[in-house]
Amino acid sequence: MQATPATAPIHADINPFPIEDQQLCIGRLPLSQLAERVGSTPFYAYDRALLDKRVERLRQALPKAIKLHYAMKANPMPALVCHMASLVDGIDVASAGELKVALDAGADPHEISFAGPGKRREELKQAVAAGVLINIESFREVAELAAIQAESGRKARLAVRVNPDFELKSSGMKMGGGPKQFGVDAERVPELLAQIGEAGLGFEGFHLFAGSQNLKPEAIVEAQCKSYELAVRLAEAAPAPVRFLNLGGGFGIPYFPGEQPLELASIGANLAGLAERAARDLPHAELVIELGRYLVGEAGVYVARVIDRKVSRGQVFLITDGGLHHHLSASGNFGQVIRKNYPVAIGNRMHAPQREIASVVGPLCTPLDLLADRMELPVAEVGDLVVVFQSGAYGLSASPQGFLGHPQPCEVLV
Amino acid sequence: MQATPATAPIHADINPFPIEDQQLCIGRLPLSQLAERVGSTPFYAYDRALLDKRVERLRQALPKAIKLHYAMKANPMPALVCHMASLVDGIDVASAGELKVALDAGADPHEISFAGPGKRREELKQAVAAGVLINIESFREVAELAAIQAESGRKARLAVRVNPDFELKSSGMKMGGGPKQFGVDAERVPELLAQIGEAGLGFEGFHLFAGSQNLKPEAIVEAQCKSYELAVRLAEAAPAPVRFLNLGGGFGIPYFPGEQPLELASIGANLAGLAERAARDLPHAELVIELGRYLVGEAGVYVARVIDRKVSRGQVFLITDGGLHHHLSASGNFGQVIRKNYPVAIGNRMHAPQREIASVVGPLCTPLDLLADRMELPVAEVGDLVVVFQSGAYGLSASPQGFLGHPQPCEVLV
């Protein structure tokens, strides 16, 4: 007898949390107990041990020569940034606000880098005063930094963010190639490097970031090779030896049915090759990869309580106290073109045999407030806890928390 | 000589603000002066006189018998809610948080109504204590209110939100018809009304809300007629005379090229007819329409300053200090399937003759942060003020203000 073909793609089995007596355990606590400890729903919970494990596995897969940075835009919760700062080699920030959190977290300023296309003069001043590395995104920023260095007497440390002449294939977001607001077009970088040299600014290297949320190792390998080669070419025009080469990130995590976790083996092998070449081509350079979502995304869940259970014309709706105001990404309203379901579970009925097709919605007066659209789930009742997986990155901070005036959710690191 | 056909749809000429010496004037202040008064960019500014004018024109177009409610979810800025409370006949709130703002604004509790699919018990208690009208969205809410009424000895005032058996055609968002999380399916309302009667709750009427952001008067007229007829039918099973009939809203405003302002004449004529019929069919009923976006959307602008001007491979980018973290809707990341440009201008160069094609982006490290995609604009320089029109509704409160840790914007009512 032949296997029947799957009728529709399903979510990969990626739940990294143990299950005890039907309860999902986060930070070793059964979910119902964790909810009591938090004291209110909805909340985000991030599992410390999973963060550790993720960094450890990544270190095993990558050559020792590669430095690992955490891009805190993915999750800026102060306690989590503090924990990550103890695990990785540097923190990447995207604003003066994030810079403050990174410094408070005890990150070494020398290993903090600051990128972003519209840095205000005040932000650049703060970055120079903090002594962090500034990823230059335009000719204007070079002129601003020259003035700030002259005024303050403090050396401005900078790397050039390059808008490459290629794209990261298969990325969720493309951030390089063609006309872009990010970085300086590769062909104009030699001119920029000359200005940096003339101004006597502290040139340290290059930053290339081709795209994000990529699940195809071959596309990441290709982008890293091309980024490396472009950097070596551009280094010829540099006013000082390259000491820092950020090859970007782009490592994706599986969110939707049909997606599989990223295979690291070929990426690790390729980076080992690049590290060897760099020892010859750019002997003073540290090779860095910068990851946000990949480090923290799978360690986090969003938890909301079922407030009402409603059957409307045959369709089951679980109405929860959480929704798009806390988790815009899971609702599909942040960068997705076609709404797809995040993996969702009933966290206190993990192995319940009775299942049904249900939609999970929030309390907002808008049909956009949809956490799960007609998914197969255990039959849930008022008081049960809905869990949205893969919620450690671009969750709370990427959501319109003030929308409709509902209470703020908690965040816990357990 | 024949006129050449337009090659592409353009934005309707809807700018309601006067222009003086190239400056857009908000609340009679030239934009550069207003920016100095505010003291920082970016900011939202709402024009008090335009709010007055909008309500006045609407009152002229609608029959006197129709009561006008402001749905404050569109813009919950406290000063603006306070101003609106003085202009309209009631305020509609969507959470206990909004209820607090409405009460603080001095709105008469008797004229406040509270809707939302997942009202928590605490919220229902607050609403009963405040004496506002609660729009029931499920059987559970009836049971909760019965318990709260018994415990507190305070009469719970309620209306039944009905999920009709039709949809509002051509709406941006459909909120009725088919299976929905909103309201109670029309066919189950008689059963619900019986429970309300048995529990001795203070039944006052019905709420029907078929959809929002509709620019077709004929679709609104049809929905209002059908809503009215459904309410009359359902009233037969009501435990008390209908005193309140909310026919919803759905009045749209033009955002995108090709869209035109909503014509009110036929809507006004239809409502006059319905008011006459109601005098016979439901002699105790007040007819209400509930508008949010239509009342405040066009009175507001979002203003951001140009921080950098960059030409990347022939494309002009104006990089501003504002972006999707303050105005998610204008970036296309809130409910839009295909990104389209809001109307945008350079507010201190309104009639500048030199024009170019430019993209307006924000300071965030994501390609989603796009306020204008290759629009024809006056040639702008660093320091200029970019204005996004039609920003009085679903702007700041619907945006992920914490994203990437940039400063919060100001809001002013001028």
Side-chain angles (χ1 to χ4, degrees), chain A residues 95-317:
Chain A
S95 69
E98 286 194 357
L99 174 59
K100 181 200 178 316
V101 175
L103 292 169
D104 289 347
D108 178 356
H110 198 266
E111 307 302 334
I112 294 175
S113 70
F114 179 12
K119 295 183 209 79
R120 289 170 289 114
R121 189 182 185 116
E122 296 69 31
E123 288 184 298
L124 291 167
K125 272 178 154 170
Q126 286 176 265
V128 171
V132 304
L133 185 70
I134 299 161
N135 290 311
I136 288 291
E137 310 246 3
S138 74
F139 283 78
R140 178 203 54 106
E141 289 186 354
V142 170
E144 299 260 27
L145 283 180
I148 292 167
Q149 181 171 290
E151 273 170 33
S152 68
R154 286 185 205 94
K155 193 82 169 178
R157 298 175 56 216
L158 61 85
V160 173
R161 180 167 180 183
V162 181
N163 177 22
D165 37 17
F166 56 88
E167 288 190 344
L168 177 48
K169 286 174 196 157
S170 332
S171 280
M173 307 263 167
K174 289 189 175 35
M175 291 152 87
K180 284 281 178 311
Q181 71 259 48
F182 307 109
V184 174
D185 296 345
E187 56 275 24
R188 295 200 63 196
V189 168
E191 183 189 344
L192 187 84
L193 290 169
Q195 291 187 14
I196 290 169
E198 280 159 30
L201 294 164
F203 171 84
E204 299 196 8
F206 297 104
H207 178 201
L208 294 101
F209 200 102
S212 72
Q213 179 49 20
N214 202 314
L215 290 169
K216 295 214 156 75
E218 64 279 13
I220 294 175
V221 162
E222 188 189 324
Q224 288 176 339
C225 286
K226 285 184 169 176
S227 294
Y228 175 80
E229 283 152 17
L230 178 55
V232 170
R233 229 161 46 235
L234 293 173
E236 291 169 17
V242 172
R243 293 196 289 192
F244 173 89
L245 175 54
N246 183 334
L247 293 172
F251 295 22
I253 64 174
Y255 286 106
F256 306 120
E259 292 183 346
Q260 294 299 326
L262 180 68
E263 278 290 342
L264 290 176
S266 59
I267 298 173
N270 181 60
L271 284 172
L274 292 180
E276 271 181 41
R277 288 166 66 183
R280 294 189 300 271
D281 298 334
L282 306 166
H284 305 279
E286 205 165 64
L287 263 56
V288 172
I289 60 166
E290 169 181 341
L291 300 172
R293 184 197 316 265
Y294 188 78
L295 296 183
V296 299
E298 300 190 80
V301 291
Y302 176 61
V303 181
R305 199 178 287 280
V306 177
I307 295 296
D308 211 335
R309 178 192 162 86
K310 220 154 113 173
V311 183
S312 170
R313 294 175 184 141
Q315 189 177 328
V316 175
F317 290 92

Side-chain angles (χ1 to χ4, degrees), chain B residues 168 216-226 266-268 270 274:
Chain B
L168 176 48
K216 297 214 155 72
E218 63 278 15
I220 293 174
V221 162
E222 188 188 324
Q224 287 176 339
C225 286
K226 286 186 171 176
S266 59
I267 298 173
N270 181 60
L274 292 180

Side-chain angles (χ1 to χ4, degrees), chain A residues 41 73-74 76 94-98 115-121 123 137-141 144 161 163-166 173-188 307-315 317 319-321 324 328 333-337 361-370 382 394 396-407, chain B residues 41 73-74 76 94-98 115-121 123 137-141 144 161 163-166 173-188 307-315 317 319-321 324 328 333-337 361-370 382 394 396-407:
Chain A
T41 51
K73 63 170 76 63
S95 69
E98 286 194 357
K119 295 183 209 79
R120 289 170 289 114
R121 189 182 185 116
E123 288 184 298
E137 310 246 3
S138 74
F139 283 78
R140 178 203 54 106
E141 289 186 354
E144 299 260 27
R161 180 167 180 183
N163 177 22
D165 37 17
F166 56 88
M173 307 263 167
K174 289 189 175 35
M175 291 152 87
K180 284 281 178 311
Q181 71 259 48
F182 307 109
V184 174
D185 296 345
E187 56 275 24
R188 295 200 63 196
I307 295 296
D308 211 335
R309 178 192 162 86
K310 220 154 113 173
V311 183
S312 170
R313 294 175 184 141
Q315 189 177 328
F317 290 92
I319 299 169
T320 70
D321 55 6
L324 77 72
L328 190 69
N333 287 288
F334 196 69
Q336 267 179 258
V337 176
V361 301
L364 309 185
C365 283
T366 165
L368 301 177
D369 192 16
L370 184 60
V382 169
Y394 303 111
L396 186 59
S397 69
S399 299
Q401 298 172 42
F403 193 46
L404 302 202
H406 286 280
Chain B
T41 52
K73 65 171 72 65
S95 68
E98 286 194 358
K119 296 184 207 78
R120 288 170 288 116
R121 188 180 186 118
E123 288 183 300
E137 311 247 1
S138 74
F139 283 77
R140 179 203 52 108
E141 289 186 355
E144 298 259 28
R161 180 166 180 183
N163 178 23
D165 38 17
F166 57 87
M173 307 266 165
K174 290 189 174 36
M175 290 151 87
K180 285 280 178 312
Q181 70 259 50
F182 307 111
V184 174
D185 296 346
E187 56 275 24
R188 296 200 62 196
I307 296 296
D308 211 334
R309 180 191 161 84
K310 221 152 111 173
V311 183
S312 169
R313 296 178 183 141
Q315 189 177 330
F317 289 92
I319 299 167
T320 70
D321 54 7
L324 75 75
L328 191 69
N333 287 287
F334 196 70
Q336 266 180 259
V337 176
V361 300
L364 309 186
C365 283
T366 165
L368 301 177
D369 192 16
L370 183 61
V382 169
Y394 303 110
L396 186 58
S397 69
S399 299
Q401 298 173 43
F403 194 46
L404 302 202
H406 286 279

